[in-house]
Every structure is written in structure tokens, then in C-alpha cells.
Amino acid sequence: DLFLYFIVSFLTSTTMSQYTEEMMQQDLLKIQQNVCSQILERNGVDVVEKMANTLQKLCGNIERHPEEGKYRKVKKGNYVIKNSILDIEGGEQMLLVLGWENSTSDELLFPTNAMDGMRQGMRTLQSTIAVCRLSNILGCS
């Protein structure tokens, strides 16, 4: 939250008292859209779709078991996490814009107050993939 505040404050000279929850959500959405677009551009839709499937499983586990800590942490060295998210250019950034935080050099944690951002980010990722697929089908660039 503070990181986002500093970015917005620097770019718009908005003070913390003027920076509302709605403004923060709008800015987060713009950042998520940007990250999703960049990941697709750099990796291609098939690779990003595989990443999205893994992210959906992680997020689904958190939503089904919001109080269980084991679903709120992932090891960066986990084979599936590494191969389907972290080895993809922009994969770690996607985790971060979904709300995951670096806990240690080899672990990410998902805080309890980040559920809305995670849901919004997953919708953004899925819609970006869908638009890309549709563009490919229609022959648009």
C-alpha cells in the first residue's frame, strides 16, 4: 500500500489524506493491466495461460481456506511455482501485483488483507488472455 502511495504521490502530487481506497483500487487495476499486457507480450498466450492456471489454483486455495496459513505461503523453489510462474518473464511481478509479498529470499506470503486485489488481478489476467486469444482468432494484431 505504501509503495503504491509513493508512486501515485510522486506522479500526481496526491497526499495520503486525498488518496482514497477507490483511487488506490483504480491505480492497482492500471498496474495489474500493465503487468498482464507486458507478460503476454514477452511470453505469448500459451505460456501465460499455463501461469494463469497455476495462479488460479493458488488463489482458489486461499479463497476456499482463508484462515489456513499453509495456503498463504509458497516456496520460490517449489517445482510447479518455479516452472509455471517464476521462470516466466514477469511472473514474480504478477504474484506481487496479486498481493503476494516477499517474506524471505525463498518464500512468498499472501497477507489476509489482499483478497480483493487478488480477485481483481485474476479477473484482469483472464480477460487479457481472452482478448489476446480473440485477437488471434480474428487475425488482429
Side-chain angles (χ1 to χ4, degrees):
D1 291 350
L2 277 178
F3 176 72
L4 188 56
Y5 163 72
F6 287 121
I7 291 173
V8 172
S9 177
F10 176 76
L11 296 175
T12 66
S13 301
T14 302
T15 64
M16 187 62 130
S17 61
Q18 296 170 320
Y19 193 57
T20 65
E21 182 70 26
E22 182 180 339
M23 292 168 73
M24 185 168 58
Q25 291 301 320
Q26 290 171 351
D27 290 337
L28 178 59
L29 177 59
K30 289 175 189 173
I31 292 168
Q32 289 170 335
Q33 289 169 332
N34 189 311
V35 169
C36 290
S37 295
Q38 287 179 8
I39 291 171
L40 267 168
E41 188 177 300
R42 293 177 182 156
N43 300 284
V45 69
D46 292 331
V47 171
V48 176
E49 204 160 43
K50 179 182 172 188
M51 178 184 73
N53 289 336
T54 303
L55 287 168
Q56 190 60 51
K57 289 175 189 172
L58 286 174
C59 296
N61 284 337
I62 292 170
E63 289 203 275
R64 282 188 298 282
H65 312 283
E67 302 303 317
E68 290 190 47
K70 69 180 181 179
Y71 295 110
R72 293 181 172 279
K73 73 172 106 167
V74 294
K75 298 267 186 212
K76 290 182 180 181
N78 174 290
Y79 180 81
V80 173
I81 300 301
K82 186 171 176 357
N83 287 338
S84 62
I85 301 172
L86 297 175
D87 284 350
I88 294 173
E89 188 175 349
E92 186 166 359
Q93 287 81 4
M94 190 66 215
L95 283 168
L96 296 174
V97 298
L98 288 175
W100 291 86
E101 299 174 349
N102 281 303
S103 163
T104 64
S105 62
D106 66 336
E107 189 174 75
L108 291 157
L109 290 177
F110 189 83
T112 56
N113 64 348
M115 295 292 285
D116 290 340
M118 175 191 69
R119 288 182 193 109
Q120 175 181 285
M122 287 305 299
R123 284 191 303 270
T124 301
L125 180 59
Q126 294 295 347
S127 64
T128 305
I129 290 169
V131 167
C132 185
R133 286 256 183 237
L134 184 59
S135 294
N136 290 343
I137 291 169
L138 297 175
C140 304
S141 49

